[in-house]
Amino acid sequence: MPARARQRTAARPAARAAAPPRWPSPHILGLQDAKPNDIRALLRLALRCEPHARPGAKPLTALTGRTVANLFLEDSTRTRLSFTLAARRLSAITLDLTTNASSVNKGESLHDTAKTLVAMGADAIVIRHASAGAALLLTREVDACILNAGDGRHEHPTQGLLDAFAIGEAFSRLKSLDFSGIRVAIIGDLANSRVARSDIAALTALGASVICAGPKPLAPDEFRALGCDLTHDPDEALEGAHAVQMLRVQTERAAAVGSLKEYADAWQLTPERAGRLRKGAIVMHPGPMNRGVEIHPSVADSARARMERQVALGVPVRMACLLAAFHAKKLIPASALKP
Ligand code: CP
């Protein structure tokens, strides 16, 4: 080849690799409308964050000088604490507001409360609210990243992501993020569960098959439209499942099926039922658990149980969600997505 032609060949830029998919919005409101690759992008980022979420890890500096406000107008242990920890592991300043300690108690509106947080410099608001759509509402009212930490019966996207992460980890699917062949049973009060809705969205997007089960008043037929199978027989749901997510039944909801005792007699994940699960199957629960109602204490404490791992994985998942939202809002550079 003539020297000049060789030079031209050498100077030609290498074909540019396609940019990896990234969460496209400064808000994380739900997973039901998300593209599978956008869900994968968050989980890949969570996988990168995981070593930095472990106790004793040196905090990352991606959110230095940024402020994340927790606005929890409904009770929470896991989600609130792990969002706080996630923000601090990224070196953000955190603000924490709960119903009991806020002027919401004096009648201040959600709008004015959120504006107050932004006026104090909040770049992101993590909101939990009893009403579906509260997080979406905030995206229209304040200039900040909005992360939904559970809104009514609608969605709990970070729980859906961490549950998918826990299943992917247990069955070595975190690299491929292809869950085909994995069967997940979600059992309990589906009708009132935002966790079930986000779990179904995340798991089916990754290719898992999901079967939901609950007593008829708590497991409406509309659930099939979310892409899962539905049964009113717990043993049918458990048959062949790789993972079982048990859902909490609130005292007042159990009245729809008789009493908590009647519910437990018919629907509890007992040691006998757990003993019939396939080898290697895992037991999950988003918490808080009603031991002795939906799950027997010995199953909750068994080797199959992954509840503590679910909680631990909430931190890297929420780190990833914060990074993705801040990046989409152009508050941090793309390099921050490679911790
Ligand atoms: N899983 C969950 O949302 O738990 P908390 O209500 O404690 O946040």
Side-chain angles (χ1 to χ4, degrees):
M1 186 189 291
R4 190 178 284 265
R6 257 202 318 273
Q7 269 174 5
R8 272 204 307 270
T9 308
R12 197 179 294 149
R16 199 174 286 169
R22 291 194 179 133
W23 185 257
S25 162
H27 314 299
I28 298 183
L29 305 178
L31 303 178
Q32 293 182 66
D33 297 325
K35 294 190 181 124
N37 273 345
D38 295 338
I39 291 175
R40 287 194 179 94
L42 290 176
L43 290 171
R44 287 212 174 89
L45 190 48
L47 189 56
R48 283 175 179 270
C49 289
E50 197 277 330
H52 305 282
R54 293 179 195 161
K58 194 172 159 209
L60 298 172
T61 55
L63 299 190
T64 302
R66 298 289 174 190
T67 301
V68 175
N70 275 335
L71 174 56
F72 275 63
L73 302 179
E74 224 190 30
D75 293 345
S76 166
T77 297
R78 282 146 285 267
T79 313
R80 184 160 73 91
L81 292 179
S82 73
F83 260 115
T84 300
L85 204 48
R88 290 183 185 169
R89 289 206 172 279
L90 295 167
S91 299
I93 295 161
T94 54
L95 300 174
D96 223 337
L97 194 60
T98 58
T99 317
N100 291 346
S102 75
S103 291
V104 170
N105 264 345
K106 300 180 195 164
E108 185 166 50
S109 70
L110 180 61
H111 170 88
D112 285 331
T113 304
K115 280 182 72 167
T116 301
L117 293 172
V118 172
M120 287 186 188
D123 300 293
I125 297 179
V126 179
I127 178 169
R128 171 168 288 191
H129 199 284
S131 300
L136 173 65
L137 191 73
L138 280 197
T139 65
R140 296 171 183 154
E141 302 202 331
V142 291
D143 182 19
C145 302
I146 304 297
L147 294 103
N148 181 7
D151 60 333
R153 300 173 184 179
H154 173 227
E155 281 228 40
H156 192 346
T158 55
Q159 183 72 42
L161 291 166
L162 77 87
D163 290 335
F165 197 118
I167 292 169
E169 182 182 70
F171 298 99
S172 305
R173 302 291 181 95
L174 284 181
K175 267 204 171 141
S176 67
L177 290 176
D178 175 0
F179 283 22
S180 49
I182 292 184
R183 179 178 163 88
V184 181
I186 304 177
I187 299 180
D189 178 3
L190 301 161
N192 297 293
S193 176
R194 54 195 175 209
V195 172
R197 288 173 174 83
S198 293
D199 278 353
I200 294 165
L203 295 168
T204 56
L206 299 173
S209 69
V210 177
I211 181 161
C212 288
K216 275 193 177 150
L218 301 179
D221 276 348
E222 298 94 87
F223 257 71
R224 294 183 206 277
L226 301 178
C228 61
D229 292 325
L230 184 68
T231 174
H232 304 295
D233 175 354
D235 295 306
E236 184 189 337
L238 292 171
E239 179 81 40
H242 294 80
V244 184
Q245 169 93 310
M246 298 304 295
L247 301 175
R248 187 169 75 98
V249 178
Q250 293 171 25
T251 319
E252 64 276 22
R253 311 282 187 219
V257 290
S259 64
L260 277 185
K261 181 174 180 327
E262 282 175 68
Y263 182 86
D265 287 347
W267 286 90
Q268 187 179 104
L269 185 57
T270 58
E272 294 72 36
R273 280 194 169 125
R276 292 200 297 272
L277 286 169
R278 68 185 296 153
K279 190 167 178 277
I282 60 170
V283 171
M284 302 167 63
H285 194 303
M289 276 189 282
N290 278 331
R291 286 169 176 262
V293 181
E294 69 268 7
I295 188 164
H296 191 281
S298 70
V299 178
D301 295 328
S302 70
R304 291 186 186 279
R306 285 290 187 284
M307 288 65 135
E308 286 169 30
R309 192 63 189 145
Q310 285 172 274
V311 170
L313 291 174
V315 180
V317 161
R318 289 168 178 129
M319 288 169 77
C321 289
L322 288 168
L323 288 174
F326 272 80
H327 178 257
K329 199 162 169 57
K330 299 187 171 36
L331 295 175
I332 58 172
S335 56
L337 303 182
K338 293 185 178 164

